[in-house]
Amino acid sequence: MSKKIFSGVQPTGNLHLGNYLGAIKNFVELNNDDANECIFCVVDLHAITIKQDPKELKKNIRETVATFVASGIDPKKSIIFNQSGVAAHSEFAWILSCVARMGWLNRMTQFKEKAGKDKEKASIGLYSYPVLMAADILLYDATHVPVGDDQKQHLELCRDIAQKFNNDFGVENFLKVPEPLIQKVFSRIMSLKDGSKKMSKSELSDLSRINLTDDEDQIITKIKKAKTDPLLMPKDIKELEGRPEAQNLIGIYTSLNNSTFETSIKKYAGKNFSDFKNELSEVVVSKIIPISKEIKKLLEDNSFLDSILLDGVERANKIASKKIKNIKEIVGF
Ligand code: TYM
């Protein structure tokens, strides 16, 4: 079945193995299937919900494009563009913020995590961020949205917003209710330093994540220093219970090899973690280093990266401007 794919990544620097395994690897597979129409967005409007240095932001936008291309997304086939280049995203987000309910947004766990204890000081954008995300998706009639597990709640909200808009304005099926596409094997990559925390760009310790721009030595060191427990490698899935660090490392290994937990566990049952870590390093290096080298090469050619965005903005605008015109008509503008 042909799918209309939409997904986004924030250009906030430090794209890591979690972004790759949770999202970008899936983007590449969807891009490679000729039946799909794919749109991959560098969500720069989302990035400014937290204070950004303008120079860094510009650099990070290009780095995100470079990461998409270096990972294997073909910018001729798929649309790669930056959100702020298409005005309809902001316009539609405002309209949808008059459809979405406070009660719905109050339930969003990511806002609570990101705002931390001092909610009063968080930007309004950080709070309404999932509404902008819904606008992104619904503008393009996306049928499927590949994301990591942490975005699941935002996608459920997007589905609710779409249904409410259709009901409120009596336009059945006008906004398409999208399906999330979340990796089945391992959709939440955890910190290398704490198996109960998500691998994240914002974590202070660089040792907690493998960045997609890390070199071989950095990857080997980070895996060597990754937290484990004093037990031997598990003999079966049951023995993984209550061992989040072991589960995370085996999950990363399994996901990079497109394998299953059962196969990975069988291979290392009862062995020392150090043996497993050596092989894990080899796998991570063999998958990530070619991407890391390509990102660095692409970053030397800003005009090439900018031309991808310009072309993407033009193609995305063609779709989005038609949809927003109909939306405005429906709303009564
Ligand atoms: P962002 O930029 O935080 O993350 C980009 C993608 O990477 C996934 N991800 C992870 N997956 C597994 N394990 C992890 N530790 C991990 N960390 C990040 C995220 O789930 C995401 O798929 N709101 C979104 C961006 C967005 C978007 C959209 C996505 C804006 N508009 C429309 C889909 C559709 C975000 O902040 O992702």
Side-chain angles (χ1 to χ4, degrees), residues 148-167:
D149 184 64
D150 61 320
Q151 295 297 321
K152 202 170 159 187
Q153 198 186 27
H154 292 160
L155 271 179
E156 279 157 14
L157 180 83
C158 170
R159 291 166 58 91
D160 289 343
I161 293 177
Q163 274 155 347
K164 187 167 189 310
F165 181 97
N166 289 343
N167 283 338

Side-chain angles (χ1 to χ4, degrees), residues 6-12 15-24 27 41 43 46 83 110 114 129 132-134 136-137 145-151 154-155 186-190 198-201:
F6 186 98
S7 198
V9 174
Q10 291 197 60
T12 37
L15 285 181
H16 51 72
L17 196 60
N19 298 121
Y20 180 71
L21 292 178
I24 299 171
F27 297 176
C41 187
V43 291
H46 276 105
Q83 197 183 22
Q110 199 174 80
K114 286 199 176 173
Y129 152 137
L132 174 60
M133 181 166 161
D136 298 340
I137 298 166
V145 183
V147 282
D149 184 64
D150 61 320
Q151 295 297 321
H154 292 160
L155 271 179
F186 194 52
S187 55
R188 186 180 279 255
I189 313 299
M190 309 310 276
K198 195 180 76 169
M199 184 178 283
S200 147
K201 305 167 188 177

